Amino acid sequence: MRWKGRRSSRNIEDRRMQTGRRRGGKAGGIGGVGLIAVLVIGYFLGIDVTPLLQSAGGGGGQVVSTGGQITQADQEAGAFVSVVLADTEEVWDEIFQEQVGRKYTPATLVLFKGATQSPCGGASGASGPFYCPADRKAYLDTEFFTTLSRRLGASGDFAAAYVVAHEIAHHVQNELGILGQAHRIRQQVSQTESNAISVRTELQADCLSGVWARYAQARFNSLESGDLEEAINAAKQIGDDTLQRNAGKRPNPHSFTHGTSAQRQRWFAIGYENATIQSCDTFSTDRL
């Protein structure tokens, strides 16, 4: 992905140099493979697995400091994220004017290291990247990109860009009123039905990420050979079925909250090919 030397976003809130407190615990009751499995599930199912790690250690858990030294990799990740965020701002402003008929209000992206707080709850390496509609901010631990590449097998800068674009896509859903409506319905239905709505919400975000990628290529000529394949592979590696299988469990469709690998790949491709918000209506289709 061609990104160096390009405009950075001003909508970055960098908390990485701050020190804070998070709930922690000894993970002594979980073996190495089990620990990785718990963390992987937490990363992409949007679940804060800190309580699991705490209970596994047997004990109340100690309060530990967060933050730490900012490495060269952290600095590089921060610069990269800032450029990708700037791309989303320009692209979605263009799309909103063309397809929605109004101005796009960009999100703020919070960079942190270790743990931080949000109105939606604690953010940590266990919770993974997420968007909080309460404060209209996306949260990202910059060390996450290392996990994405080394543990989950989704390497490449455009795979990382896809992650950022997916969280910003949730902000787009919030701007369009979709996220709030989906949340209200989920509160009124069973857990299985709520999970099904969550899947459609996440697949729509994947599709909107594809729309962004298509516009970004046309506007910035930022994609290089193999970039789309990186995004498609990332979508594959973070499918619910793949994550559950890699965690040593049999995939349980009723528990899916983000969609299968095939579904996530398909909807990203639909967005890229059609490049319209309308093509991303995952709530009206019978074929996910």
Side-chain angles (χ1 to χ4, degrees):
M1 178 180 175
R2 304 180 186 92
W3 66 273
K4 292 187 177 180
R6 296 189 18 231
R7 183 181 79 86
S8 298
S9 173
R10 295 182 179 179
N11 295 309
I12 294 284
E13 182 180 330
D14 197 340
R15 301 181 185 175
R16 292 177 296 175
M17 292 301 294
Q18 301 175 3
T19 58
R21 296 157 66 86
R22 67 176 171 88
R23 292 178 182 175
K26 297 179 181 179
I30 303 179
V33 175
L35 174 60
I36 292 175
V38 170
L39 291 175
V40 166
I41 292 173
Y43 264 125
F44 283 109
L45 299 189
I47 301 170
D48 186 353
V49 298
T50 301
L52 297 179
L53 301 180
Q54 182 174 329
S55 62
Q62 300 297 318
V63 177
V64 298
S65 63
T66 65
Q69 182 180 1
I70 303 301
T71 66
Q72 181 63 37
D74 289 325
Q75 294 176 343
E76 182 88 354
F80 171 78
V81 166
S82 182
V83 171
V84 175
L85 183 63
D87 286 359
T88 67
E89 292 165 354
E90 293 188 38
V91 163
W92 283 113
D93 187 60
E94 179 181 355
I95 294 173
F96 265 53
Q97 291 187 41
E98 290 181 357
Q99 301 184 23
V100 184
R102 63 180 174 86
K103 187 174 178 59
Y104 169 71
T105 303
T108 296
L109 197 152
V110 177
L111 298 179
F112 67 95
K113 186 172 183 178
T116 191
Q117 290 294 318
S118 83
C120 295
S124 69
S127 62
F130 69 92
Y131 173 74
C132 179
D135 62 0
R136 305 165 64 84
K137 295 179 180 180
Y139 290 77
L140 174 68
D141 184 336
T142 48
E143 290 186 349
F144 168 76
F145 294 136
T146 300
T147 297
L148 182 69
S149 175
R150 296 181 182 177
R151 290 188 181 178
L152 300 181
S155 60
D157 49 12
F158 202 70
Y162 156 73
V163 171
V164 177
H166 178 91
E167 299 309 325
I168 296 302
H170 285 312
H171 176 67
V172 171
Q173 291 173 312
N174 198 30
E175 284 284 288
L176 296 173
I178 297 171
L179 207 57
Q181 183 177 3
H183 179 66
R184 286 190 293 272
I185 296 175
R186 288 181 64 192
Q187 291 180 316
Q188 302 170 7
V189 298
S190 68
Q191 184 62 55
T192 298
E193 292 171 313
S194 176
N195 288 347
I197 294 171
S198 176
V199 167
R200 292 180 184 269
T201 302
E202 296 296 334
L203 292 179
Q204 184 178 64
D206 284 329
C207 184
L208 294 172
S209 301
V211 174
W212 165 79
R214 179 67 173 271
Y215 268 78
Q217 170 62 3
R219 189 180 184 96
F220 309 112
N221 191 30
S222 55
L223 271 64
E224 298 177 297
S225 176
D227 278 349
L228 285 178
E229 288 77 10
E230 289 178 2
I232 291 294
N233 177 59
K236 174 184 177 182
Q237 299 302 332
I238 60 179
D240 285 326
D241 54 338
T242 298
L243 287 175
Q244 291 185 3
R245 194 175 293 111
N246 289 343
K249 297 183 177 181
R250 178 178 296 179
N252 177 11
H254 293 299
S255 69
F256 291 173
T257 57
H258 282 56
T260 67
S261 294
Q263 289 171 335
R264 301 199 70 168
Q265 290 176 304
R266 177 173 178 267
W267 280 101
F268 177 87
I270 288 174
Y272 187 83
E273 291 167 2
N274 293 278
T276 65
I277 294 175
Q278 185 177 3
S279 67
C280 296
D281 185 4
T282 55
F283 294 93
S284 299
T285 182
D286 293 329
R287 181 176 175 241
L288 292 178

